[in-house]
Amino acid sequence: MTGQGAYIFGCKGLQLTPDERSFFERAQPWGFILFGRNVETPDQLRALTAELRGAVGRDAPIFIDQEGGRVARMTGPHWREWLPALDQVTLNKRDALRTLFIRYRLIADELLAVGIDGNCAPIADIANADTHPILRNRCYGEDVVRVAERAGTVAQALLEGGVLPVVKHIPGHGRANLDSHKVLPHVKTKAKELARTDFMAFEPLAGLPIGMTAHIVYEDIDAENPATQSPAVIKLIRDRIGFGGLLMTDDLSMQALSGPLSLRARRSLQAGCDMVLHCNGVLEQMEEVADATGPLGGPAQARADDALTWRRSPDPIDIPALDTEFQNLMTGQGSERAADERD
């Protein structure tokens, strides 16, 4: 094929196989995504990211889910460990914005050091009593104002660290009480209430370069199709929320979606997504998705090109000082010192 493909792919292991390298060279995915199966040491990871870019012959974006807490593909002893985000902000509500900024600025530093320049964060989903445990403590709060503000801070920290943020899961996953990795959640909440809560959390983030859809049916908007494959919901994301960036699907191989992967991909693009995401690294499945999806073009290509203009060199920063500040804030020393200074 010619041009870049409208898909982001994973790979199977710690280094590329000859078949993967040949496929990526031919299929030209726009970008890549890595998982725990691809991570062993910093040196190995740097070699893999270089190999991926070498296979496509360009500086393709490479993403990962490095939220910290339960969703962390890079873990100790080589990388920092974190509390789940909701636990962190609950322990220190007073300094929630600053501690989130430091957390994700340090994460950005770790990612860029191994050649990863995209992170699937921030999460702007709002936690509530019914939010499924797969998501709940990954959220940043339980009300729209705090979640939007905290998600914006996370995005800024990543950008200042030279890493592209991917805001998720548009237009809101917090009301799902089922795990979309396994089944398709349905949300019965009326659209008017969603507009004042879940959807509104994404409005201040609408200018970010990349977003990821939710595999959820919002019954009052489209009773048949999950957001990823719903023209009505994608229109809402573009027009009501105002998101103008590159819109990628959540993982096509999740069981919330039905039908062959080729059909899942086509339905997502026909609904208005710009890019499909396939994560499990199974070569035969990636070949099916590539054949069904084809190259980027038109507005999707323009949004993909624009997203890459957000890449920048990281701002200079004192990493040890940030580490110390974070620890002081989480143990109360930073808050006490700030209070003393105000007094």
Side-chain angles (χ1 to χ4, degrees), residues 175 187 189-200 218:
R175 293 181 189 266
V187 170
T189 308
K190 294 298 183 183
K192 284 186 177 180
E193 182 179 345
L194 289 168
R196 293 192 301 267
T197 54
D198 301 55
F199 300 167
M200 188 177 287
Y218 303 90

Side-chain angles (χ1 to χ4, degrees), residues 61 113 130 155 232 303:
D130 296 326
R303 286 189 281 263

Side-chain angles (χ1 to χ4, degrees), residues 37-277:
R37 66 178 183 268
N38 308 121
V39 175
E40 187 175 65
T41 66
D43 285 345
Q44 169 270 323
L45 200 44
R46 274 189 290 271
L48 177 58
T49 55
E51 219 182 350
L52 288 166
R53 292 188 172 107
V56 294
R58 56 186 158 82
D59 188 17
I62 298 177
F63 299 89
I64 199 166
D65 290 282
Q66 190 70 0
E67 298 171 14
R70 285 190 303 104
V71 178
R73 317 306 186 192
M74 296 159 54
T75 58
H78 300 293
W79 297 282
R80 294 174 180 84
E81 302 272 6
W82 303 94
L83 289 171
L86 189 59
D87 295 349
Q88 177 179 311
V89 299
T90 300
L91 282 171
N92 190 340
K93 294 178 182 177
R94 180 174 183 173
D95 299 302
L97 290 178
R98 183 59 181 167
T99 57
L100 280 172
F101 179 89
I102 295 172
R103 170 191 180 121
Y104 283 93
R105 182 61 184 83
L106 292 173
I107 286 173
D109 185 69
E110 292 182 333
L111 297 183
L112 209 59
V114 292
I116 297 169
D117 59 359
N119 194 8
C120 296
I123 290 178
D125 305 317
I126 300 173
N128 61 64
D130 296 326
T131 303
H132 192 277
I134 196 72
L135 178 68
R136 180 176 164 77
N137 69 358
R138 297 161 56 195
C139 298
Y140 304 151
E142 299 178 322
D143 70 90
V144 60
V145 174
R146 287 186 176 86
V147 167
E149 188 176 28
R150 292 167 182 174
T153 295
V154 169
Q156 188 62 35
L158 292 171
L159 286 167
E160 289 187 19
V163 171
L164 291 171
V166 180
V167 61
K168 60 187 185 186
H169 305 82
I170 302 178
H173 211 298
R175 293 181 189 266
N177 57 12
L178 298 171
D179 179 3
S180 59
H181 292 86
K182 299 178 180 178
V183 292
L184 177 60
H186 283 242
V187 170
K188 300 180 184 297
T189 308
K190 294 298 183 183
K192 284 186 177 180
E193 182 179 345
L194 289 168
R196 293 192 301 267
T197 54
D198 301 55
F199 300 167
M200 188 177 287
F202 289 91
E203 291 179 13
L205 311 170
L208 290 175
I210 309 174
M212 179 186 291
T213 61
H215 292 337
I216 295 176
V217 172
Y218 303 90
E219 293 188 354
D220 197 37
I221 301 167
D222 184 339
E224 301 297 324
N225 301 296
T228 301
Q229 299 177 340
S230 168
V233 177
I234 301 300
K235 179 175 172 57
L236 180 151
I237 291 169
R238 293 299 192 192
D239 296 347
R240 183 184 299 177
I241 292 175
F243 183 75
L246 180 74
L247 191 61
M248 71 167 73
T249 71
D250 205 343
D251 183 11
L252 289 183
S253 59
M254 289 165 64
Q255 295 175 46
L257 302 183
S258 59
L261 283 166
S262 55
L263 182 61
R264 298 181 192 192
R266 283 195 295 267
R267 283 178 173 170
S268 301
L269 295 177
Q270 288 165 2
C273 291
D274 298 314
M275 183 87 57
V276 298
L277 176 67

Side-chain angles (χ1 to χ4, degrees), residues 8-23:
I8 295 168
F9 286 150
C11 59
K12 201 63 179 173
L14 300 174
Q15 58 187 32
L16 292 187
T17 66
D19 285 345
E20 285 175 329
R21 189 178 298 106
S22 175
F23 169 69

Side-chain angles (χ1 to χ4, degrees), residues 317-328:
I317 202 153
D318 186 334
I319 294 298
L322 275 189
D323 267 322
T324 299
E325 183 184 354
F326 183 85
Q327 296 304 324
N328 288 342

